[in-house]
Amino acid sequence: MARDLRDLQRLVDELAALTPEERTRVLTDVQRRSIFHPLPQGFKPPVLKDSGGKWIGGDLRREDIYGDDGR
């Protein structure tokens, strides 16, 4: 794991030293392991009806949105 810029630079140097075939294999493996999946083309985040704010993740349960004020 790259903890600082030196570690990241070391990883860049090691990746650059690989053959094109090795680099492809490494990057393919990284992509498979990645928990991030690109959003579909044209994706728009849901907009909350009353506030108009964009949903950035998290629960959308009534209790979590409004709290305990009885709404």
Side-chain angles (χ1 to χ4, degrees), residues 34-64:
S34 176
I35 59 171
F36 173 76
H37 300 287
L39 297 173
Q41 188 173 10
F43 173 81
K44 292 187 171 112
V47 175
L48 300 177
K49 185 177 179 180
D50 294 336
S51 69
K54 291 183 179 172
W55 177 71
I56 56 171
D59 291 332
L60 291 176
R61 297 181 319 152
R62 182 182 245 351
E63 295 83 10
D64 294 328

Side-chain angles (χ1 to χ4, degrees), residues 5-44:
L5 288 177
R6 288 177 300 187
D7 288 339
L8 187 58
Q9 186 58 49
R10 182 185 55 79
L11 290 171
V12 168
D13 294 340
E14 289 179 11
L15 186 60
L18 297 175
T19 66
E21 294 81 15
E22 292 169 329
R23 191 176 309 133
T24 299
R25 199 169 80 215
V26 168
L27 293 175
T28 301
D29 192 29
V30 167
Q31 188 175 14
R32 266 192 226 123
R33 292 181 187 198
S34 176
I35 59 171
F36 173 76
H37 300 287
L39 297 173
Q41 188 173 10
F43 173 81
K44 292 187 171 112

